[in-house]
Amino acid sequence: MTRSFRIAISDDRLVRIRRQIEDFEWKDFPDAGGWKSGVGLTDLRRLVDNWIKTFDWRAQEAKLNRRQHYLTDVDGQTLHFVRARGDGSRLPILLLHGWPGSFIEFEELIDPLAEDGHDVVVPSLPGFAFSGRPDAPIGPRRTAALMDRLMRELFPGKRYIVQGGDWGSAVGAWMAHDYPDRVAALHINMMTAQADGVDPETAEEKAWGERVSKLAGEERGYFLEQSTRPQTLGIAMSDSPVGVAAWILEKFGVWADVARDDAGRPDLWAAFDEDLLLTNIMLYVAPRSFVTSTWLYRGRVLEGSHVFPAGSRVTVPTGVAAFPDPVFPLPPRALAERSYRIESWTDMERGGHFAALEQPDLLLADLRAFVENVR
């Protein structure tokens, strides 16, 4: 049953979070080399100082509650989602976030898409924010089934469009793969799933593969930990808001398309507002969802959903917004086309991993152009 929902973190919970932040022992953390060895302590301290001195969760909570929030139960899993209603003249659109993002990534896209006529649905993935905790780790393919069921219940008999980045791209890809009769079009700005056996062949494709392997050696430590030992990591993070902030802030600093100085320090504050970053972090800390948000990585391993079955392909019309992601570069189009029916591919001049936050206007324009004739 779908019911209305309002975000309302208890005063006791907020008091405890604040006390933990204020009590953090900074003297226990000598600098290991700025951003060369993990999150830069100078930038982390700036964020945490803002958290203590100026950040107002209640104000952010009120802002979030201007949207219509709902909870519903799908196959035993409670899902939180935001919904904005269009006039029904266009197909519904499902917008899917990833980790370490949240439903707030799409704030700048919701109203324009609804004004275009789309009903817009923005869920929190299972285990994230205000969605319920899964009983055990589930991966993108199982999550895809839940999201398809959500859209079927909200829009009986209607096809729908999916847009996603990070995990949203994987979940969306599996939705398009498994439910092509219901997914009218897929739009992604990251590509994590390809058909089993589709390997680089040309010089360009092999160069991409080598680049990905090199980046993995430096940047995928978090991925291995969350894919193999999320429970241990969760215990370490569950009682440390500053720890969660550090884990998440590092990804925004490394994955975003921002200028960097000679020491590798990213100009985070030119791309992201502190209140935005803290609100996103609080959606992991306040509802105690950081632990289960990492389960999606473990679930991917357990269900083997890193590849589509050999010989299969996403046959749904697919649009790709290729932002210059510094850590997760998209494959060459020719390689991607062996796993997806790509009908639109746009090479973006700027914007990184968090495209909906970094360059919402570019992402919106590309999505609008792609779905213009989708009925």
Side-chain angles (χ1 to χ4, degrees):
M1 182 179 68
T2 299
R3 59 267 190 201
S4 295
F5 171 74
R6 282 186 64 80
I7 302 170
I9 304 301
S10 71
D11 289 338
D12 288 346
R13 179 65 179 151
L14 294 179
V15 167
R16 176 173 172 78
I17 291 169
R18 183 176 183 85
R19 185 169 62 248
Q20 290 173 309
I21 298 167
E22 292 175 336
D23 289 346
F24 188 78
E25 296 283 0
W26 288 101
K27 66 178 184 299
D28 293 340
F29 290 88
D31 193 334
W35 282 90
K36 293 181 178 179
S37 297
V39 68
L41 293 185
T42 300
D43 289 304
L44 178 62
R45 290 208 66 163
R46 170 175 170 167
L47 188 70
V48 173
D49 284 347
N50 178 282
W51 208 347
I52 295 171
K53 296 174 182 177
T54 64
F55 181 71
D56 184 347
W57 167 255
R58 289 300 185 208
Q60 298 301 318
E61 190 176 69
K63 188 183 298 184
L64 295 176
N65 279 326
R66 293 174 190 167
R67 295 285 181 194
Q68 297 298 310
H69 294 256
Y70 300 91
L71 296 178
T72 193
D73 299 312
V74 177
D75 292 343
Q77 172 67 49
T78 299
L79 295 175
H80 158 258
F81 64 94
V82 170
R83 180 175 180 179
R85 298 176 188 271
D87 63 11
S89 62
R90 307 295 299 278
L91 293 179
I93 290 185
L94 178 70
L95 302 177
L96 296 173
H97 70 83
W99 185 95
S102 62
F103 66 91
I104 66 171
E105 289 183 45
F106 297 105
E107 179 61 28
E108 298 299 317
L109 279 67
I110 295 173
D111 289 339
L113 291 171
E115 290 166 5
D116 289 347
H118 302 279
D119 273 16
V120 184
V121 178
V122 190
S124 296
L125 296 177
F128 286 71
F130 306 107
S131 284
R133 301 175 177 182
D135 293 333
I138 60 174
R141 192 171 194 179
R142 171 59 180 154
T143 302
L146 294 173
M147 293 299 154
D148 173 67
R149 179 69 179 272
L150 170 66
M151 295 300 281
R152 280 190 288 145
E153 292 187 359
L154 292 176
F155 309 102
K158 277 192 174 183
R159 297 193 305 159
Y160 56 86
I161 298 163
V162 183
Q163 199 291 322
D166 195 84
W167 278 122
S169 70
V171 174
W174 275 111
M175 294 177 76
H177 181 278
D178 288 350
Y179 313 107
D181 57 329
R182 293 192 285 272
V183 177
L186 171 68
H187 186 272
I188 53 178
N189 51 281
M190 184 175 171
M191 191 175 293
T192 59
Q194 296 184 35
D196 191 14
V198 172
D199 299 315
E201 296 176 357
T202 67
E204 181 188 14
E205 292 168 2
K206 290 177 180 178
W208 167 82
E210 291 171 1
R211 183 186 175 200
V212 169
S213 295
K214 183 177 180 180
L215 285 167
E218 183 68 22
E219 302 294 347
R220 301 294 178 89
Y222 85 97
F223 192 96
L224 291 174
E225 183 70 21
Q226 293 179 179
S227 296
T228 60
R229 300 294 184 266
Q231 184 154 291
T232 309
L233 174 67
I235 291 170
M237 294 292 188
S238 63
D239 208 35
S240 177
V242 175
V244 172
W247 196 255
I248 290 176
L249 186 66
E250 180 201 306
K251 302 313 170 195
F252 276 84
V254 176
W255 297 356
D257 179 30
V258 296
R260 304 173 198 279
D261 64 19
D262 292 340
R265 179 181 179 182
D267 190 359
L268 264 170
W269 316 113
F272 302 109
D273 175 77
E274 284 122 319
D275 280 356
L276 173 67
L277 291 176
L278 286 169
T279 300
N280 183 67
I281 289 166
M282 280 290 285
L283 292 174
Y284 287 85
V285 172
R288 299 179 176 89
S289 65
F290 177 85
V291 176
T292 48
S293 75
T294 66
W295 283 12
L296 196 51
Y297 293 80
R298 184 61 179 159
R300 177 178 180 263
V301 173
L302 296 175
E303 70 180 17
S305 54
H306 60 293
V307 291
F308 305 131
S312 69
R313 182 172 181 259
V314 170
T315 58
V316 166
T318 301
V320 178
F323 289 87
D325 191 321
V327 174
F328 301 95
L330 273 81
R333 178 170 179 168
L335 177 57
E337 285 181 330
R338 299 204 285 276
S339 297
Y340 294 80
R341 177 185 158 189
I342 295 174
E343 297 195 351
S344 171
W345 183 290
T346 307
D347 289 313
M348 300 293 186
E349 293 184 0
R350 60 190 183 279
H353 189 75
F354 303 98
L357 289 177
E358 296 176 58
Q359 299 293 338
D361 291 345
L362 292 179
L363 181 62
L364 175 63
D366 195 70
L367 176 59
R368 275 175 155 167
F370 175 62
V371 304
E372 175 64 28
N373 297 312
V374 176
R375 294 291 187 269

